[in-house]
Amino acid sequence: MLTKYTFGTPFDTQAVTAQVREGENCPFFEISRGEGSLSFRCPLAERDIVYGLGETMGGINKRGGRYVSFNTDNMRHVTGMPSMYGSHNFLVIDGAKPFGAFFDTPARVVFEVDFEGSGQVYVRCESEDVALYTVEGESAYAIVRQFLAAIGRSFIPPLWAFGFGQSRWGYKDERDIRTVADRYAAAGMPLDYICMDIDYMERYKDFTVNKKRFPDLSAFAAEMKGRGIRLVPIVDAGIKAEPGDETYEEGVREDYFCKNLEGKYFRAAVWPGMTHFPDFFRPEVRAWFGAKYKVYTDCGIEGFWNDMNEPSIFFSEYTRGKLRGRNCGDPLYRGNAFLSDYKSFYHTIGGKEVLHYDVHNAFGGNMTRASCEGLEKLLDKRFLLFSRASYIGAHRYGGIWTGDNTSKWEHLRQNVLHMPSLNMCGFLYSGADTGGFSGRATRELLLRWLAFSVYTPLMRNHCMKYMRRQECYRFGKKEEFRSLLALRYRLLPYIYSEFVKAALSSDMYMKPLAFGYPQDERARRIEDQLLVGDSLMVAPVLEKGAKGRTVYLPEAMTQVRWTGETFKTLSVPAGERFVEVPLGEAVFFIRRGRLLPVGGACMHTGEADLSAVTLLGDGEEYAQYIDDGTTRDVRAENIRILKRR
């Protein structure tokens, strides 16, 4: 059961799409008012688990942490870092009487969950205008599913978006991209798309193409698509303030940009230099911005990633005297931007001026919405779209990746911990930069990371220039990398089916072990084993130098070992065991009474036949979602029942 409690006049984020009954006195929290703020408190029992909060550092159980919802471009992902790129204000307290709570406000929110042993959840909203939604149910899992139904169906990309993607900040021209495609093909490694970072643009300006580097983007996109590979260009949030630039001139003529304290267009430095930010909260601005993607779709491009949309600011017209990266100890400094920048410009919403700081967390999600709505008009099929900044509700328009991580073992572990928390907040199509965006990925780390990313919907190897190149073909013993990429494609019939079924039924694609075995106290405390869809359990190797790992099975399961060529199955009883997992191999488990469909080998999704499958496991039947991989007509009628022979 969902109930809405209204405080003041909440900003309409449109995160919740369902009709929800209104309540008067919230029974779950002690509520107090401060000067321009609202605070909520509730006690925690010793054994209560707190789930949710999406993209935050730390464990699946949020106890012991302090988390700040304030979208921030900060690549120093360290334990205890309060803010990341997204703000997902939904949590579930799993205790004697479980309940969930969504604090719907785009302003800054602080969550302290048993912080420093307080024995309570404390939430402070930096606004008196808040819509609080509470969710009651029999279990944490049931509560999450109710919440997912209330916020609307997840974005569903095309089949090719579930293939493997290669990316690097530094691919500067056709030759670079063609070389990547050639070397993957020569190594016998499948590949479905290559991302184009800011170097493809003319001086880093949105909706432009450097003609020297890409003289005929349409022909190049067609060439690559003929090889089964899509191009996926990046689009940033800022429009270069440059007279003569078509997008800039249109934005000025139609008055589409955010205003500063003096009522002029706000100027902030990002990659192209001084830019203006489109006022994405206005429908007409979203329509204009989304239509600009025609520059790419006219070239046959069907996939995009949005970046720098927290928005990231290097400095503004008000703070340009402070060098980027200096004053990091200043309490005003967060990542690249000063908080004072966010208090220096306005949006026009419903005819009223609204300070950006007060709606900051919803800015990036509205850019994603603009892109999605534009692409839906430009294309007659599904497309790929993922973004960096987000707020609950943006999951209906695109996926997300978890930003600028590092080639560290703890960031591989964090990738595992992020996935179910993001799913709880609606973001099913998600993943991390496999191998790490910055740093120096070792062969071992990349192999172990790939062995987990095999199961995440977004599987992209991405890194930055100036760092070690980490394309899979660059390392020795290529057969070990080929093995893991081949596994991804063999699992496509299952991954695609389970993802779409989850989206259609308001379910999670990746879940904590506890959600499948809520009565098993041991399972409730395990965070490094996840359920993927309904049939599969994964237990990735997360330690440097490890030959395998200890795995806990709450029930008897079918162990499946992928050797690079074949699946070897073994029935194993419930309990704890050490499982050896050599580099280049993968071990996963099929739950009792379930089946898992696997397909044949292929070099890209265009060669995949999702209908030709072999069933693994001890179940009797499997409900497979299957369609042409591009149709927008995604519905439950496309599910077929496969029976074990």
Side-chain angles (χ1 to χ4, degrees), residues 55 72 94 238 240 310 341 376 416-417 598 612 642:
E55 190 179 51
T72 303
D94 188 14
K240 184 172 177 60
E310 292 72 33
D341 288 333
E376 285 179 338
V416 176
L417 302 175
V598 296
L642 306 178

Side-chain angles (χ1 to χ4, degrees), residues 74-78 81 85 328 333-336 404 406 411:
N74 184 353
M75 68 187 297
R76 296 183 291 275
H77 300 178
V78 296
M81 186 178 79
Y85 309 92
C328 292
Y333 186 86
R334 296 292 184 273
N336 290 349
D404 297 343
T406 305
H411 285 190

